[in-house]
């Protein structure tokens, strides 16, 4: 009703938004009033002992966004919270099951992230992805040769 007889501006939206949800002031300050950019990555995930693992996450840009990190094991998924504003954090944790991979922001809540490719990390390399791409490339090459061959 406040804008029934006038047009709202961006600042009006932010003020209304913060009045309804003041706990998101950090978000509005960075996105609307600031020039921060967001890019978080997992530098490594490694096994340090029997059932002990270490996960190194870091912020590559100046923006802060609280994250939930999913750690995938053979049997279940563990969740770690990264709410600190520091540039990096090392998580040390135990799991009775073998850890396979980890993922920052598994539900893709932070759409402002500049590089989604560095948000996950696997302990062992997975060759199936590159083989799938190679097979697709050969498929399209074969089709292109068949089309060009039939045209002549």
């Amino acid at each position: 009703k406040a804008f029934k007889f006038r047009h709202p501006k961006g600042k009006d939206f932010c003020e209304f938004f913060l009045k309804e949800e003041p706990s998101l002031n950090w978000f509005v300050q960075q996105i609307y009033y600031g020039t921060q950019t967001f890019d978080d990555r997992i530098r490594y995930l490694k096994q340090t002992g029997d059932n002990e693992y270490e996960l190194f996450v870091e912020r590559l840009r100046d923006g802060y966004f609280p994250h939930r990190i999913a750690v995938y094991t053979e049997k279940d998924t563990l969740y770690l919270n990264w709410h600190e504003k520091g540039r990096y954090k090392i998580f040390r944790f135990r799991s009775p099951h073998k850890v396979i991979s980890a993922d920052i922001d598994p539900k893709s809540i932070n759409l402002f992230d500049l590089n989604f490719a560095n948000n996950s990390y696997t302990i062992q390399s997975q060759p199936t992805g590159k083989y799938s791409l190679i097979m697709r490339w050969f498929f399209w090459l074969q089709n292109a040769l068949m089309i060009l061959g039939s045209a002549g």
Side-chain angles (χ1 to χ4, degrees):
K1 292 182 180 182
F3 302 102
K4 192 172 185 177
F5 299 108
R6 65 183 181 106
H7 294 290
K9 298 193 173 19
K11 186 177 180 183
D12 298 325
F13 171 75
C14 289
E15 288 174 1
F16 175 78
F17 184 73
L18 288 176
K19 185 169 48 171
E20 293 295 318
E21 193 62 47
S23 65
L24 293 177
N25 185 35
W26 62 270
F27 182 74
V28 172
Q29 292 298 325
Q30 291 183 93
I31 299 299
Y32 187 72
Y33 296 114
T35 59
Q36 284 80 3
T37 55
F38 302 90
D39 190 18
D40 304 317
R41 78 167 176 175
I42 298 177
R43 179 177 280 186
Y44 65 79
L45 171 63
K46 64 182 179 180
Q47 186 171 5
T48 57
D50 290 340
N51 299 330
E52 294 179 0
Y53 295 90
E54 187 173 284
L55 173 68
F56 186 101
V57 292
E58 66 181 330
R59 289 191 171 86
L60 300 177
R61 302 294 178 130
D62 55 350
Y64 159 74
F65 201 95
H67 285 296
R68 190 164 188 182
I69 302 169
V71 178
Y72 303 105
T73 67
E74 291 177 325
K75 303 267 183 187
D76 61 351
T77 304
L78 307 172
Y79 290 100
L80 306 170
N81 292 318
W82 186 24
H83 296 296
E84 294 85 12
K85 292 185 179 183
R87 299 292 288 176
Y88 67 91
K89 180 162 179 152
I90 298 173
F91 292 96
R92 291 180 180 88
F93 61 94
R94 301 184 76 124
S95 174
H97 309 292
K98 183 179 176 185
V99 173
I100 299 168
S101 65
D103 188 12
I104 296 176
D105 195 20
K107 294 184 179 180
S108 299
I109 294 171
N110 182 9
L111 297 177
F112 295 105
D113 195 347
L114 295 176
N115 185 3
F116 290 108
N118 62 4
N119 287 2
S120 61
Y121 195 91
T122 58
I123 290 182
Q124 294 177 347
S125 65
Q126 306 290 329
T128 56
K130 64 182 172 185
Y131 293 137
S132 173
L133 290 173
I134 290 170
M135 292 306 293
R136 288 180 192 178
W137 187 82
F138 279 126
F139 172 77
W140 288 110
L141 179 64
Q142 178 185 7
N143 285 340
L145 291 174
M146 288 176 65
I147 290 171
L148 293 173
S150 65

